[in-house]
Amino acid sequence: MLLQEKMQTADFSPAEKTVVNFILEKQELIQDYTTTMIAGETYTSPSVLVRISKKLGFNGYNELKKAFLEEVTYLKHHFQDLDANLPFTARDPIMKIAAVITRLKQESLEDTLSLIHHDSLQKAVLYMQQKSAVKVFTISNLTFLAEEFVHKLRHIGRKAETYSISNTMIQEAKMTSSDDCAVCISYSGETPELIYVAKLLRQNHVPVIVISSVGENSLTRLGDVVLHTATREKSYSKIGAFSSLESISLILDILYSCLFKTDYDRHYSYKVALAKKTEFRSIDNAIIQEE
């Protein structure tokens, strides 16, 4: 749930609702308002803002203000004249569709990059670097992205696994120890199997990296670190998951690349040596051929 949605549905007193409505109306202009200024314009007191912040799960108004402004900025950037759910119509010629889908993917990549914070990314990479294995938990078509991520990790000598069967995934979560780290991927963050998996992982004190949509959901509440995906698609009223899949793929590639960088020369040597011993094919394309 987006913070603005939470602000509209939370149980507030009449005075608190007045202040919340003021903040929602001002949007990014709230940047210039102090608690005293808001209290003056809403005929309330600064303590009302403290109560609102606490009810929304923040330690104080400054923390609430920062999260609110980040969300407003995100929602007002990118995708201004592009619908991620219905990017083309039945009347569009095929080359226009090709151009629109390309632009949609480009927008999704820029959108994703804007959501990545240095400290969260660094924390996720440290978990992957310090733990003995990386276990990736997801379901449905996202397992293909998980398999590619695991494939990359294994090719630099990292122990990594993912699971295409839900029952196996749950069993592995139960058997995973604090020596490992976990990556849980869900766009909605409300997939029952993954929520159960994350709870099992936390019981075993396993660091959990969550990749999910913007806003708070059941899965992000269980993560030790959260990396947000581009969040522009509806749950089912879309032509295809063009944006979310592109976004998740980018995040996984960034995680892999940042981990690769932690021991660049060794990882590169390992990958090349492994490829020479395991990849056999005849190539007559000069661009692809090795020296």
Side-chain angles (χ1 to χ4, degrees):
M1 178 183 287
L2 294 173
L3 176 55
Q4 292 179 73
E5 294 173 331
K6 197 173 181 180
M7 292 170 74
Q8 291 170 336
T9 57
D11 184 19
F12 292 122
S13 69
E16 291 166 352
K17 285 181 181 177
T18 299
V19 173
V20 166
N21 289 337
F22 179 84
I23 294 171
L24 290 170
E25 181 182 341
K26 291 297 181 181
Q27 291 285 290
E28 67 269 22
L29 296 179
I30 208 69
Q31 170 72 52
D32 300 323
Y33 282 81
T34 64
T35 56
T36 303
M37 291 168 65
I38 294 174
E41 293 210 25
T42 57
Y43 302 100
T44 59
S45 67
S47 62
V48 172
L49 279 158
V50 176
R51 294 200 298 272
I52 291 170
S53 301
K54 297 288 185 183
K55 286 185 178 181
L56 292 171
F58 298 97
N59 293 320
Y61 171 65
N62 287 335
E63 192 176 306
L64 166 61
K65 180 179 177 179
K66 181 175 182 291
F68 179 80
L69 288 170
E70 285 179 352
E71 181 175 290
V72 169
T73 300
Y74 169 70
L75 293 174
K76 291 189 176 183
H77 281 70
H78 306 295
F79 290 88
Q80 294 304 298
D81 56 351
L82 187 63
D83 187 344
N85 298 290
L86 300 171
F88 58 87
T89 70
R91 295 183 299 277
D92 287 338
I94 59 173
M95 289 310 295
K96 181 179 179 181
I97 292 174
V100 166
I101 294 302
T102 300
R103 185 175 162 224
L104 174 59
K105 287 179 174 285
Q106 290 170 338
E107 287 277 326
S108 300
L109 296 177
E110 293 293 337
D111 213 31
T112 306
L113 182 59
S114 73
L115 291 168
I116 295 176
H117 297 291
H118 173 274
D119 291 354
S120 297
L121 178 59
Q122 185 177 61
K123 188 176 180 181
V125 174
L126 281 173
Y127 282 146
M128 294 171 57
Q129 180 185 7
Q130 294 170 353
K131 298 299 180 177
S132 62
V134 179
K135 298 191 175 184
V136 187
F137 300 91
T138 191
I139 65 166
S140 190
N141 58 327
L142 296 184
T143 58
F144 298 116
L145 298 181
E147 287 170 355
E148 174 61 21
F149 180 55
V150 165
H151 175 82
K152 287 186 174 79
L153 293 178
R154 291 170 65 88
H155 278 67
I156 59 171
R158 294 289 298 162
K159 184 178 179 183
E161 301 174 357
T162 192
Y163 320 96
S164 58
I165 301 172
S166 292
N167 190 50
T168 303
M169 177 177 70
I170 292 170
Q171 288 176 351
E172 286 294 331
K174 182 63 178 175
M175 294 186 291
T176 300
S177 74
S178 58
D179 292 332
D180 306 317
C181 81
V183 179
C184 293
I185 311 170
S186 170
Y187 179 66
S188 70
E190 301 297 344
T191 307
E193 300 98 311
L194 280 178
I195 294 168
Y196 184 51
V197 159
K199 288 178 178 178
L200 291 175
L201 292 167
R202 289 196 61 88
Q203 287 173 12
N204 291 345
H205 306 289
V206 179
V208 178
I209 302 166
V210 169
I211 299 175
S212 189
S213 55
V214 168
E216 187 180 63
N217 57 53
S218 299
L219 189 59
T220 58
R221 284 191 287 268
L222 294 167
D224 293 286
V225 58
V226 178
L227 300 173
H228 289 296
T229 69
T231 309
R232 306 291 177 171
E233 295 170 349
K234 298 294 184 183
S235 180
Y236 57 84
S237 57
K238 55 181 177 284
I239 290 176
F242 304 119
S243 176
S244 57
L245 290 178
E246 194 72 24
S247 180
I248 293 168
S249 178
L250 175 62
I251 292 172
L252 292 175
D253 278 348
I254 289 172
L255 284 174
Y256 164 73
S257 299
C258 291
L259 180 64
F260 193 106
K261 181 252 184 194
T262 61
D263 198 348
Y264 192 98
D265 292 336
R266 186 178 67 83
H267 287 151
Y268 184 73
S269 296
Y270 187 98
K271 186 180 185 302
V272 171
L274 181 65
K276 286 180 177 179
K277 292 181 179 179
T278 60
E279 298 179 18
F280 308 104
R281 51 186 176 266
S282 177
I283 299 173
D284 58 7
N285 185 324
I287 297 174
I288 303 174
Q289 280 178 340
E290 296 285 350
E291 296 294 334

